């Protein structure tokens, strides 16, 4: 019945809009922005970077037009189910790239703004690139791809018998982004290690490193920075076993608390889409002693938002007008 499908397609945006209006009326509206990197990059297949110039421009705009909350103000509203101020904003960052300290922090400080940074603790001081960046280096930027390859771990196989062309490498990259996401961190790192050895690309790019311990410590001492956890090895929690989830969640908290000497009570699910965490993941996160956890699908935070799955809006390298256009459905 194509008519029913068509009707549903037409109605769905209206239903969504209606829910948004209802949430905003009852609970106020806060847009939680999600950034990853602030740096100029030539090659950024995941579109994770915002240039320092554009980040500065975006902060100027939100400061002028909206109410940017501190982490404490955000929590006060979320945890006490209080109505959020109209058109408020919270800035968050995921992962813990070194550029957060080098580029993002000084720009936040210049504007007197604060952001919540979720750190994948296993990468801090590792000298390794995050696993998706390593895949990019090995498959998309590698001048020395071997003629033959046969590597396998955790049911994921990468294999070819003659020198692969650019297109085949791109398709391996795309597939591995999906299949490695679902592996426990240890299994995935085993496979990556084997690929690194076989593909003659052992060195991490300095532009793609996570912070080291000293940088993280200096970073965390800024009034513009609040630290939260983001697992140890950045797997998709909803796709790994319960014990592995618990270990990822509790160890990242313990690592950061030990290094920084402060309680770590905020969490964000890696990737954060609805398939990357389950009800059980939310429960484990709560039991581990976190106060709230961030997801990653667009919407507003409001007084009745779930504490363990509040929504965030992913920000790309947008100029001012485009940035405001992406914010506009959530602000009034
Ligand atoms: Zn992440």
């Amino acid at each position: 019945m194509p008519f029913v499908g068509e009707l549903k397609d037409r109605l769905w945006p209206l239903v969504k809009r209606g829910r948004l209006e209802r949430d905003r009326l009852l609970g106020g509206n806060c847009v939680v922005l999600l950034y990853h990197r602030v740096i100029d990059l030539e090659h950024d297949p995941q579109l994770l970077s915002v240039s320092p110039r554009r980040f500065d421009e975006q902060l100027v705009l939100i400061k002028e037009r909206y109410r940017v909350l501190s982490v404490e103000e955000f929590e006060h509203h979320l945890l006490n189910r209080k109505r959020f101020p109209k058109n408020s904003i919270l800035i968050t960052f995921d992962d813990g790239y070194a550029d957060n300290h080098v580029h993002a922090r000084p720009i936040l400080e210049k504007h007197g703004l604060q952001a919540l940074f979720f750190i994948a603790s296993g990468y801090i001081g590792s000298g390794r690139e995050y696993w998706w960046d390593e895949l990019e280096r090995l498959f998309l930027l590698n001048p020395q791809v071997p003629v033959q390859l046969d590597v396998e771990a955790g049911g994921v196989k990468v294999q070819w018998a003659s020198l692969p062309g650019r297109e085949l490498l791109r398709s391996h990259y795309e597939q591995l982004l999906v299949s490695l996401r679902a592996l426990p961190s240890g299994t995935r790192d085993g496979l990556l290690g084997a690929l690194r050895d076989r593909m003659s690309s052992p060195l991490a790019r300095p532009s793609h490193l996570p912070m080291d311990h000293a940088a993280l410590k200096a970073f965390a001492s800024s009034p513009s920075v609040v630290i939260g956890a983001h697992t140890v090895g950045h797997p998709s929690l909803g796709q790994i076993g319960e014990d592995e989830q618990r270990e990822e969640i509790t160890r990242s908290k313990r690592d950061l608390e030990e290094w920084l000497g402060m309680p770590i009570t905020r969490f964000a699910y890696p990737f954060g889409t609805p398939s990357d965490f389950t009800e059980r993941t939310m429960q484990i996160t709560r039991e581990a002693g976190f106060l709230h956890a961030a997801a990653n699908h667009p919407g507003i935070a409001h007084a009745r938002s779930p504490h363990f799955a509040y929504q965030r809006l992913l920000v790309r390298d947008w100029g001012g007008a485009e940035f405001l256009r992406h914010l506009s459905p959530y602000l009034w």
Side-chain angles (χ1 to χ4, degrees):
M1 284 203 296
F3 177 71
V4 173
E6 201 178 303
L7 195 66
K8 225 173 127 188
D9 285 350
R10 283 199 200 173
L11 283 177
W12 184 234
L14 293 176
V15 171
K16 259 172 55 179
R17 184 76 202 170
R19 284 184 191 161
L20 199 60
E21 289 281 355
R22 176 202 63 195
D23 291 339
R24 173 186 67 94
L25 281 171
L26 295 174
N29 62 316
C30 176
V31 178
V32 182
L33 302 177
L34 165 54
Y35 291 92
H36 292 87
R37 314 198 56 182
V38 172
I39 189 170
D40 283 308
L41 284 183
E42 258 178 52
H43 197 256
D44 184 15
Q46 302 284 310
L47 307 177
L48 294 181
S49 318
V50 175
S51 77
R53 187 180 58 79
R54 285 192 157 164
F55 183 58
D56 187 74
E57 189 185 356
Q58 292 175 354
L59 294 193
V60 168
L61 283 171
I62 56 174
K63 233 175 111 171
E64 261 172 23
R65 292 166 182 244
Y66 310 116
R67 172 142 172 228
V68 187
L69 303 180
S70 68
V71 175
E72 209 174 306
E73 284 174 308
F74 172 80
E75 280 173 347
H76 172 73
H77 291 88
L78 183 79
L79 298 178
N80 297 308
R81 303 198 187 283
K82 280 196 181 268
R83 188 192 179 82
F84 275 87
K86 185 184 171 195
N87 294 343
S88 49
I89 303 253
L90 177 73
I91 307 165
T92 70
F93 276 75
D94 282 5
D95 302 339
Y97 281 95
D99 61 60
N100 292 183
H101 180 44
V102 178
H103 298 301
R105 179 194 48 79
I107 300 172
L108 285 161
E109 285 172 350
K110 184 179 94 178
H111 292 292
L113 296 176
Q114 192 178 63
L116 176 50
F117 291 83
F118 297 105
I119 312 287
S121 68
Y123 283 92
I124 297 301
S126 67
R128 278 186 299 129
E129 294 182 24
Y130 293 94
W131 65 260
W132 52 91
D133 288 332
E134 188 138 31
L135 283 182
E136 174 199 341
R137 189 186 81 242
L138 292 169
F139 287 85
L140 304 185
L141 303 170
N142 190 349
Q144 284 184 302
V145 175
V147 177
Q148 291 175 344
L149 185 84
D150 190 356
V151 168
E152 199 255 315
V156 178
K157 209 171 166 61
V158 197
Q159 189 181 36
W160 56 73
S162 61
L163 193 64
R166 208 179 261 252
E167 240 167 70
L168 186 64
L169 288 168
R170 162 67 70 170
S171 110
H172 277 295
Y173 165 76
E174 305 279 357
Q175 282 170 24
L176 285 167
L177 279 178
V178 178
S179 50
L180 263 56
R181 184 170 165 152
L183 292 183
S185 299
T187 314
R188 181 204 62 223
D189 286 346
L191 181 71
L192 266 180
L195 286 170
R196 199 184 300 134
D197 289 346
R198 289 283 292 111
M199 293 182 78
S200 321
S201 178
L203 295 179
R205 291 165 289 176
S207 59
H208 285 66
L209 286 178
M211 283 180 238
D212 62 21
H213 291 95
L216 179 67
K217 211 158 181 173
F219 181 61
S221 72
S222 165
S224 287
V225 173
V226 175
I227 301 290
H230 195 44
T231 71
V232 178
H234 210 291
S236 169
L237 290 168
Q239 300 182 67
I240 62 173
E242 210 176 295
D243 290 345
E244 287 153 344
Q245 292 190 50
R246 191 174 297 104
E247 173 68 10
E248 289 278 352
I249 293 166
T250 53
R251 212 182 102 200
S252 65
K253 186 177 197 291
R254 214 167 50 229
D255 283 348
L256 293 165
E257 288 181 342
E258 199 181 301
W259 300 335
L260 299 172
M262 58 171 80
I264 299 294
T265 55
R266 296 99 175 175
F267 189 81
Y269 306 109
F271 308 104
T273 73
S275 63
D276 295 306
F277 60 98
T278 62
E279 285 291 328
R280 190 70 191 113
T281 313
M282 293 161 71
Q283 209 179 342
I284 294 170
T285 309
R286 186 193 296 271
E287 287 164 4
F290 289 100
L291 295 175
H292 52 75
N296 169 23
H297 50 114
I300 57 170
H302 53 88
R304 300 188 309 163
S305 282
H307 295 172
F308 283 82
Y310 64 86
Q311 291 170 270
R312 294 190 289 171
L313 182 68
L314 189 55
V315 183
R316 303 294 192 193
D317 188 30
W318 296 321
E322 204 183 352
F323 177 57
L324 291 177
R325 203 163 50 245
H326 280 93
L327 287 177
S328 66
Y330 310 104
L331 299 164
W332 281 266

